[in-house]
Amino acid sequence: MPSRTVAVASASGLHARPAALFVKAAKAQPVAVTIQAGGKAPVPAGSMLHVLALSAGHGAEVTIAAEGEGAEEALDALAALLGTDLDATSGHD
Amino acid sequence: MTEPLRGIAAGPGLAAGPAHRIAARPALPPAVSVSDVDAETARALGALKTVADDLGARAAAVAGTVAADILDAQVMMAEDAMLGEDVAARVGAGTDAPHAITEALAVHRAAFEAAGGYLAERAADLDDLRDRAVAACLGLAMPGIPAPGRPFVLVAADLSPADTAGLDTGQVLALVTAEGGPTSHTAILARALGLPAVVGCAGALDIPDGTLVTVDGTRGLVETGVDEGTVAGIRAEETARRARLSATSGPGRTSDGHPVALLANVGSAEDHLDGAEGIGLFRTELRYLDRTEAPGFDEQVEAYTRVFRAMPGRKVVVRTLDAGADKPLPFLFADGEPNPALGVRGLRVARRHPEILRVQLDAIATAASAAGADVAVMAPMVATVAEAAGFVARCRAAGIAKAGVMVEIPAAALRARPILEVVDFISVGTNDLSQYTLAADRQCAELAELLDPWQPALLDLLAMCARAGAETGKPVGVCGEAAADPALAVVLAGLGIDSLSMSARAIPAVREALAARTFAECRAAAAAALAAGDAEGARAAVG
């Protein structure tokens, strides 16, 4: 299955706003995407509750995976999002 | 009209409108067996959707703020398809909707708790989600700040900072709480926002939602079951009062010209300063909160300069770091204290970390020399003459001309005269002085009446401080919630207090109260208050 492993770039980790932005983007993909961190079982990337529970901090390596038509493009887009410091792009301090 | 409810006056002014209560958390009803699985599933999923829509609307109303981010994250949890599937599966197995939602969220709550740290703190968001969804299932009002769609009087048991983070002052006319005292969070918030408020009002929670009420935050009265005509009359009276107050200006003085400086309590240059003659309490700890180490010299100079520049040529009294007790700082307090209010807090922190005070005094001196304000510095939590003298010596070494101390500990009030002989001024912090004099925790709602600033023991200590000021010819100020009470301000002026520092929004009402009396009348009011046997009697004697 196509996959990407990326270090979480957001300063606060995959929490709060960065997590919300990531989950929204994952839900918008045409394919189902899973995310895995810390040796735990993969969880649906479109589930806010499961993504938060990964507790992936800044610099943590996460692996996203997907299968089917558009999977490669979806993974590229989500990997780019994970590799961006989403706290730094926030609309307020 | 029924007998008015009595409470503690906590924010001056009048308001009238429908009362709406912060709904209590719903209790989970006993489990019932599910006969129609499809209908029960629809009830459970409908409740989650109702919650998501409601939180989404609240988030939209505060778009662009940190509160909106938290609400958005909660919306996404309520909308989580995995949660919906789990809930539906539980209902399919025979669990009713409220229990299915509670059990499904409990799984995630356990995962959050197990992860610890930031996520463990977010467990409260899941609890809130659960309470809202259960309320929606049961057809009850959503917990949290109500949104009746018209301006209303907010009624609650008590208000926490979380409750009031996104409080819309365009919708909330007044605050009424069943618990809380004059220095509770609700009271401080009300004065900062300029909202009339009554706290410690037993019976407030029995007012049915939507009942028209009037709130007299100056006298501490709430009348229920009034008619529309009364509401209109009160609103007109309040509008006229505000217009009259906004027309008052200039320095504080009695009708015969005895001056009482009216100063503002602030935490940063962004705080409301209109109408203040200067700043009587600049709280510097805001810059230290949520930090892993003390802010550096340059950062401090910049922050202080911005406040000093807001008050060109005027008085600014800077309080040095007041950490500890209700304001713990992780870099200073690694080890817990058994009783933080009586522990190493305020100036006492400098015993362990003298460099933090030294850097702060240097930063204040540097900022003061550049900015052109009349800067003075005072230390919090001083108990002895030796501590006061030591602080003044450090200030002089840093090049600060005016150095004083706060009087918050009864020991310092009792020794006001010898302390004034070694400092340039004192400022009485009535909130902490109440707490320590009456041995009543400021955060303990049950003891609210002991924290009433009209308590005779507190008035006696204030009188001692004022007398010591007269004897030594040095200024004595008051910076605490007591200074914001117009009737008590008259008493303080009569005692001989030279300056009153409060939330800037409270200044107009205090200015008006002083201007309505001669200094002799203020002195008579002070004598009457001191002669009264209890707080209620003192308040009534001044009337």
Side-chain angles (χ1 to χ4, degrees):
Chain A
M1 192 192 297
S3 68
R4 307 279 187 278
T5 297
V6 199
V8 174
S10 291
S12 67
L14 205 47
H15 291 146
R17 194 167 182 277
L21 291 173
F22 172 76
V23 170
K24 274 181 195 162
K27 286 205 286 193
Q29 300 304 326
V31 291
V33 182
T34 63
I35 179 167
Q36 184 180 18
K40 289 179 254 182
V43 296
S47 166
M48 184 68 170
L49 289 162
H50 282 102
V51 168
L52 284 174
L54 292 173
S55 195
H58 172 73
E61 294 221 323
V62 298
T63 301
I64 48 176
E67 213 156 16
E69 182 103 11
E72 296 288 350
E73 293 78 2
L75 293 176
D76 286 341
L78 293 175
L81 200 57
L82 290 168
T84 307
D85 183 357
L86 299 170
D87 288 309
T89 64
S90 89
H92 53 82
D93 60 10
Chain B
M1 200 182 295
T2 49
E3 186 71 10
L5 303 175
R6 286 180 181 280
I8 298 168
L14 297 168
H20 285 275
R21 196 167 83 181
I22 290 193
R25 293 171 39 179
L28 196 59
V32 295
S33 61
V34 176
S35 50
D36 183 341
V37 168
D38 288 346
E40 193 68 6
T41 304
R43 177 158 87 119
L45 298 184
L48 287 174
K49 169 137 186 17
T50 301
V51 171
D53 290 349
D54 180 65
L55 293 173
R58 286 168 191 259
V62 292
T65 66
V66 174
D69 283 351
I70 292 171
L71 289 167
D72 271 333
Q74 268 190 305
V75 170
M76 294 184 67
M77 295 180 204
E79 284 177 341
D80 196 318
M82 299 288 288
L83 176 67
E85 283 172 26
D86 187 8
V87 168
R90 288 172 193 272
V91 174
T95 306
D96 65 48
H99 286 87
I101 289 169
T102 302
E103 288 167 13
L105 281 169
V107 173
H108 295 288
R109 192 186 199 288
F112 278 25
E113 291 255 285
Y118 171 86
L119 264 192
E121 288 166 31
R122 298 264 71 86
D125 295 349
L126 290 181
D127 292 342
D128 180 53
L129 212 56
R130 175 201 62 207
D131 292 340
R132 288 171 179 280
V134 169
C137 275
L138 301 174
L140 300 173
M142 288 274 172
I145 302 279
R150 56 180 176 162
F152 64 100
V153 172
L154 180 62
V155 179
D158 203 357
L159 292 169
S160 69
D163 290 328
T164 56
L167 201 65
D168 179 357
T169 51
Q171 288 292 305
V172 176
L173 298 165
L175 307 175
V176 176
T177 62
E179 296 163 12
T183 59
S184 65
H185 174 73
T186 305
I188 291 167
L189 178 85
R191 283 188 282 264
L193 296 177
L195 286 175
V198 176
V199 302
C201 183
L205 296 180
D206 298 329
I207 303 171
D209 271 1
T211 306
L212 290 179
V213 302
T214 64
V215 178
D216 183 338
T218 310
R219 293 192 298 157
L221 297 178
V222 178
E223 283 196 57
T224 59
V226 300
D227 58 25
E228 292 282 359
T230 307
V231 169
I234 292 285
R235 287 194 179 165
E237 196 180 321
E238 178 64 6
T239 305
R241 188 186 75 94
R242 290 191 181 234
R244 199 175 67 231
L245 291 182
S246 66
T248 74
S249 62
R253 52 189 63 238
T254 59
S255 61
D256 54 345
H258 172 76
V260 180
L262 302 179
L263 311 171
N265 292 350
V266 305
S268 73
E270 281 73 46
D271 283 349
H272 189 76
L273 289 169
D274 291 354
E277 292 172 51
I279 292 172
L281 171 61
F282 172 19
R283 303 182 172 100
T284 53
E285 50 276 3
L286 291 181
R287 202 143 280 281
Y288 292 76
L289 299 175
D290 299 324
R291 302 285 288 251
T292 50
E293 56 188 45
F297 174 79
D298 293 338
E299 181 187 335
Q300 291 191 49
V301 171
E302 198 247 313
Y304 303 152
T305 303
R306 286 202 299 139
V307 171
F308 298 163
R309 291 231 163 102
M311 284 281 148
R314 293 202 262 156
K315 181 171 173 176
V316 178
V317 182
V318 187
R319 179 177 69 188
T320 55
L321 178 62
D322 187 18
D326 56 339
K327 291 165 286 201
L329 298 179
F331 58 91
L332 294 179
F333 303 96
D335 46 341
E337 289 181 326
N339 195 341
L342 303 181
V344 182
R345 56 167 297 199
L347 179 65
R348 299 166 178 186
V349 172
R351 296 169 184 229
R352 286 186 190 170
H353 302 280
E355 74 289 353
I356 289 182
L357 179 60
R358 188 184 50 75
V359 170
Q360 183 171 31
L361 291 176
D362 286 346
I364 293 167
T366 302
S369 69
D374 172 15
V375 175
V377 178
M378 65 181 180
M381 288 297 288
V382 170
T384 66
V385 175
E387 285 174 350
F391 179 74
V392 171
R394 287 171 200 240
C395 289
R396 301 275 188 263
I400 292 165
K402 290 186 191 166
V405 298
M406 288 191 72
V407 172
E408 300 161 284
I409 303 176
L414 293 167
R415 302 289 290 163
R417 165 97 201 237
I419 285 177
L420 271 167
E421 282 166 1
V422 300
V423 302
D424 299 318
F425 65 95
I426 58 174
S427 182
V428 185
T430 50
N431 300 353
D432 269 330
L433 188 57
S434 287
Q435 150 165 293
Y436 293 124
T437 302
L438 281 298
D441 191 323
R442 283 169 65 182
Q443 295 173 41
C444 182
E446 253 180 286
L447 304 177
E449 98 278 0
L450 294 177
L451 295 165
D452 189 326
W454 291 83
Q455 281 284 353
L458 185 71
L459 295 179
D460 280 347
L461 291 177
L462 281 160
M464 286 184 77
C465 291
R467 200 158 50 237
E471 287 167 5
T472 54
K474 289 183 178 171
V476 177
V478 169
C479 65
E481 296 303 320
D485 174 343
L488 191 48
V490 168
V491 170
L492 296 173
L495 290 175
I497 299 291
D498 301 284
S499 64
L500 301 172
S501 193
M502 65 201 87
S503 297
R505 287 181 203 280
I507 289 177
V510 171
R511 181 191 288 121
E512 187 189 41
L514 291 174
R517 287 167 184 81
T518 62
F519 185 48
E521 285 167 343
C522 293
R523 292 172 64 124
L530 287 175
D534 56 25
E536 207 48 55
R539 201 180 259 113
V542 173

